[in-house]
Amino acid sequence: QVQLVESGGGLAQPGGSLRLSCAASVFTFPDYAMSWARQAPGKDVEWVSGVYPDGRTTYYADSAKGRFAISRDNAKNTLYLQMSSLKPEDTALYYCAKGSPSNPLPGDNGAWGQGIQVTVSS
């Protein structure tokens, strides 16, 4: 029943910016911690960032710190990932994911979106 739909991906140049959005529905979005993860071709899934329900407590992978910013608008049931200073190694399929009320990481009962492609190339 959980629905997560990513948007905002595409092609960016190195040093450029993109903002990903994830529209959530069916579940009570404001009650759940959320995450972004990504998977590059031939690579394992990498957790990128997480945010607690209040939108104030955030976590970032080392690769994202200082460049990416996670946020959420609970009134709009939407999760965001603002990506700046993009690098070619940021190229991946990006997923938003539903965690638990207290853990942004999706567990066994977590849910994932379909993913959206981000390509960083000159």
Side-chain angles (χ1 to χ4, degrees), residues 8-80:
L11 178 65
Q13 303 229 308
S17 299
L18 286 173
R19 188 178 75 160
L20 304 183
S21 298
C22 174
S25 61
V26 181
F27 69 101
T28 309
F29 177 81
D31 292 343
Y32 289 86
M34 300 289 295
S35 292
W36 288 98
R38 66 187 183 186
Q39 186 171 34
K43 304 291 185 179
D44 291 335
V45 174
E46 177 190 17
W47 177 79
V48 175
S49 185
V51 60
Y52 278 80
D54 63 6
R56 297 182 178 182
T57 304
T58 59
Y59 298 91
Y60 296 93
D62 287 343
S63 60
K65 289 178 181 177
R67 300 190 300 121
F68 293 3
I70 192 170
S71 62
R72 64 192 295 162
D73 187 337
N74 285 341
K76 297 181 178 180
N77 291 343
T78 303
L79 178 73
Y80 302 97

Side-chain angles (χ1 to χ4, degrees), residues 4 6 22 27 33-37 79 95-99 104-106 110-113:
L4 301 167
E6 300 96 338
C22 174
F27 69 101
M34 300 289 295
S35 292
W36 288 98
L79 178 73
Y95 301 89
C96 64
K98 169 185 173 290
L105 296 171
W112 299 73

Side-chain angles (χ1 to χ4, degrees), residues 1-13:
Q1 293 184 331
V2 172
Q3 292 182 293
L4 301 167
V5 181
E6 300 96 338
S7 63
L11 178 65
Q13 303 229 308

